[in-house]
Amino acid sequence: MLQSAATCRNTQSRLMSSPETWDEETLVRAAQRGDLNAFNELILHYQNQVYNLAYHIMRDPASADDATQEAFISAYRALDGFRGGSFRAWLLRIVTNACYDELRRLKRRPKVSWEDFGEMEEEANPHLVDEGARPEETVQQQELGALIDRCIAMLPDHHRTTLVLVDRMGLSYEEAARVMNVALGTVKSRLARARREMQELLQAQKELLPARYRL
Amino acid sequence: MTEETWSVVEVSAYLDGELEPQRQDAFEAAIERDPNLRRRVQEMEGVVAMVRAAPQREAPRNYLLTPAMVEDAKPQSKRRRAGLRMPLLVMRLATSLVTLAFVATFGLTLLQQGYLPSAMAPTAVDEASEAPWLMAPEPESRPAPELEAADVQTEALSTDAEATVAVEEELAAPMPEADAPREVGEDLDPEEMEKPVGILEAEPIEELPAEAEDTAEIESEALERAPAPEVEEAEPAHVSALTRRIRPPLWLSIGLGSMAVVMIGITVWLSRRELG
């Protein structure tokens, strides 16, 4: 029972990055030689993760959209600098840096008040629908997704990013440390605090949780 | 036995299997014993499961790159940087050379115009002490008065004003025996000391011809009237012969300086363009 969360995360990670026909290394090498189609295949594979990370950092769909496109262009520019290792971590680091730059810029010249972010996306996200699920389960998933998104949005920047990288995207601690350019211990402590904060936020809204998730 | 306190970081790391092996065993043993710790683990596990169970968002569109976007992004900047590399190298070299030439010519001009820092220009006293041949001659080797007057005139043109004044004073004063330097007369017999030396032995000071005295006075007066600028304008002794021979015109320094400023500007601009 206690090990189920870790097992769940590992499975999620495997499904995301290791389909049978997927040969990331070959595609990366081809893209480095200038093969645009190879790079576009990498984009198709990673665009959901990149967009999700951008969305959670920016807390705004339009900004996340811009940041995602910019990140892929930046990645293509910097492809010569990729020296192996985890391509996903390298790509997510680019989008993380792009989002933090944008956040800093927004904080200097805010267009909207930060309170607006707490009320974003009250309605269910149409992209969250699981086509194989029954209607009531679909509704429950949508509600859960919206609630989790709202709670994540209330976390401090670095805690939010760490939680999304590890718990939402299934990165290992080492990969998350590489993405955020921090020490492994920093990832551990930020993640623990983010989880505790999430626990407090969810407990405060437990009447909104689906019955099987009530804390 | 008191239970060990487990931090939230350790509880979180335990859920991800990130505790060290020894701590992992101790943690599992503590869970068996401590219901409070077990509850903390279960609560955090519930949160983690919920966050992971929430569906991921799908990207609202595809972010595929088109050849036009790629053309804007990568090759153009690479081509531009490669094209700028050689001109930038040449400009850096040329700028360095022009700047060096400017510094050299401007420095020479300053030296020849006499705009030297005071610390570098030697004083008359220093010069005299460092170059004893520029000082007034010693009394014991003093030549005959008629020759002496001529010597004073020639030396005055090549030495500084103080040395000239010293010679003048000596001419005006009689030649007492005590004027002889101590170190010269120490090893001599006192009787010998009383006798004049060399040419002075034949022609004692007291019997100086009036004509010679007049000549000395005229010369000393001429020296007093001699224009001071001749002495002041004389170049310092340490200015090398090379700087005297090479006399760059002022317009050359100004031209090189202006060129160096313009070239530095162009080089900085090219460097920024190369960096993108």
Side-chain angles (χ1 to χ4, degrees):
Chain A
M1 168 66 185
L2 290 174
Q3 297 296 328
S4 63
T7 312
C8 173
R9 183 173 61 81
N10 291 336
T11 310
Q12 186 185 12
S13 178
R14 257 199 321 276
L15 286 174
M16 278 182 172
S17 59
S18 305
E20 288 175 7
T21 57
W22 179 248
D23 188 356
E24 183 179 284
E25 203 180 322
T26 308
L27 287 171
V28 170
R29 249 186 271 127
Q32 282 179 321
R33 287 194 300 270
D35 185 345
L36 188 59
N37 288 332
F39 191 73
N40 278 335
E41 274 198 53
L42 291 164
I43 290 179
L44 284 176
H45 187 76
Y46 286 117
Q47 64 183 5
N48 275 350
Q49 293 183 60
V50 170
Y51 175 78
N52 267 277
L53 179 59
Y55 173 80
H56 284 296
I57 297 176
M58 300 302 297
R59 301 183 283 192
D60 170 52
S63 302
D65 185 42
D66 290 344
T68 305
Q69 186 68 77
E70 282 302 314
F72 282 125
I73 293 173
S74 299
Y76 189 75
R77 277 181 185 159
L79 206 52
D80 290 340
F82 176 65
R83 298 273 178 267
S86 169
F87 181 75
R88 178 170 63 153
W90 180 78
L91 192 58
L92 293 177
R93 183 174 181 172
I94 289 175
V95 73
T96 305
N97 289 338
C99 289
Y100 281 159
D101 288 346
E102 182 64 11
L103 281 181
R104 276 193 285 270
R105 196 184 66 77
L106 284 173
K107 279 178 183 172
R108 282 198 299 270
R109 281 172 284 176
K111 290 178 188 168
V112 292
S113 68
W114 282 94
E115 284 75 19
D116 293 346
F117 287 108
E119 296 167 6
M120 65 175 191
E121 302 270 324
E122 286 290 342
E123 72 283 2
N125 179 359
H127 298 297
L128 298 179
V129 177
D130 179 358
E131 289 169 3
R134 289 180 300 176
E136 62 271 26
E137 282 181 359
T138 304
V139 171
Q140 275 193 353
Q141 273 196 328
Q142 286 178 353
E143 286 173 356
L144 177 66
L147 180 63
I148 295 292
D149 282 355
R150 272 205 307 279
C151 291
I152 289 176
M154 291 180 205
L155 300 177
D157 287 351
H158 292 306
H159 293 182
R160 189 167 72 243
T161 308
T162 313
L163 185 87
V164 169
L165 287 171
V166 176
D167 283 342
R168 297 282 284 173
M169 313 185 76
L171 267 67
S172 66
Y173 283 20
E174 288 80 11
E175 281 181 310
R178 225 172 297 142
V179 169
M180 293 187 294
N181 198 25
V182 294
L184 202 63
T186 309
V187 172
K188 276 187 185 179
S189 61
R190 281 182 185 173
L191 181 64
R193 291 192 179 92
R195 283 171 173 172
R196 192 174 56 186
E197 287 158 356
M198 277 297 284
Q199 187 178 337
E200 289 164 4
L201 287 167
L202 289 169
Q203 275 174 344
Q205 308 186 52
K206 58 185 173 189
E207 69 281 359
L208 299 177
L209 286 170
R212 63 178 165 150
Y213 290 114
R214 298 236 167 104
L215 294 168
Chain B
M1 180 181 168
T2 54
E3 285 294 332
E4 188 178 355
T5 308
W6 295 89
S7 69
V8 67
V9 176
E10 286 170 312
V11 173
S12 171
Y14 169 74
L15 289 176
D16 295 328
E18 293 282 347
L19 272 182
E20 292 164 11
Q22 300 91 341
R23 299 291 288 168
Q24 180 90 7
D25 295 341
F27 194 92
E28 283 172 355
I31 289 173
E32 296 299 322
R33 291 193 305 270
D34 184 0
N36 187 40
L37 179 61
R38 199 179 313 136
R39 184 183 52 77
R40 285 172 62 198
V41 171
Q42 284 172 347
E43 282 177 356
M44 187 170 280
E45 191 181 26
V47 171
V48 171
M50 211 184 309
V51 171
R52 289 176 182 168
Q56 292 274 350
R57 286 174 176 269
E58 282 196 21
R61 64 183 175 94
N62 283 331
Y63 296 95
L64 302 178
L65 299 184
T66 63
M69 293 161 82
V70 171
E71 189 63 25
D72 287 345
K74 193 177 180 183
Q76 193 181 28
S77 61
K78 274 198 162 181
R79 270 204 306 272
R80 191 182 69 188
R81 285 175 198 180
L84 284 176
R85 201 163 296 146
M86 185 52 74
L88 182 61
L89 202 66
V90 172
M91 275 307 294
R92 279 180 180 157
L93 187 66
T95 306
S96 307
L97 290 175
V98 169
T99 308
L100 276 176
F102 165 68
V103 169
T105 52
F106 191 64
L108 274 175
T109 308
L110 280 185
L111 279 174
Q112 286 162 1
Q113 301 278 335
Y115 294 115
L116 281 174
S118 57
M120 284 176 67
T123 61
V125 175
D126 291 342
E127 212 169 281
S129 62
E130 285 171 10
W133 58 88
L134 294 174
M135 299 233 351
E138 296 293 337
E140 71 272 11
S141 63
R142 180 181 296 173
E146 58 268 20
L147 293 175
E148 201 175 343
D151 282 349
V152 167
Q153 186 184 4
T154 53
E155 280 175 13
L157 295 172
S158 60
T159 58
D160 60 343
E162 283 187 25
T164 309
V165 170
V167 171
E168 204 177 329
E169 283 172 356
E170 285 189 13
L171 280 171
M175 285 292 293
E177 290 160 4
D179 269 359
R182 276 213 170 278
E183 59 271 24
V184 173
E186 271 172 6
D187 54 348
L188 293 175
D189 189 38
E191 291 180 11
E192 289 287 325
M193 289 283 287
E194 300 209 354
K195 295 178 181 176
V197 182
I199 296 174
L200 291 179
E201 194 175 353
E203 297 177 21
I205 295 289
E206 292 78 17
E207 296 171 9
L208 273 175
E211 190 185 339
E213 279 183 321
D214 291 342
T215 310
E217 281 174 10
I218 290 165
E219 291 299 336
S220 62
E221 282 174 15
L223 284 172
E224 279 180 2
R225 287 195 301 270
E230 275 186 22
V231 176
E232 285 172 6
E233 281 178 8
E235 285 176 356
H238 70 284
V239 176
S240 68
L242 182 68
T243 59
R244 287 195 197 101
R245 276 202 301 273
I246 304 171
R247 288 186 178 275
L250 190 60
W251 61 261
L252 185 62
S253 296
I254 294 169
L256 281 171
S258 310
M259 200 186 293
V261 168
V262 171
M263 289 175 81
I264 286 169
I266 294 172
T267 308
V268 169
W269 178 70
L270 279 176
S271 302
R272 286 189 178 170
R273 284 204 56 169
E274 197 218 10
L275 288 172

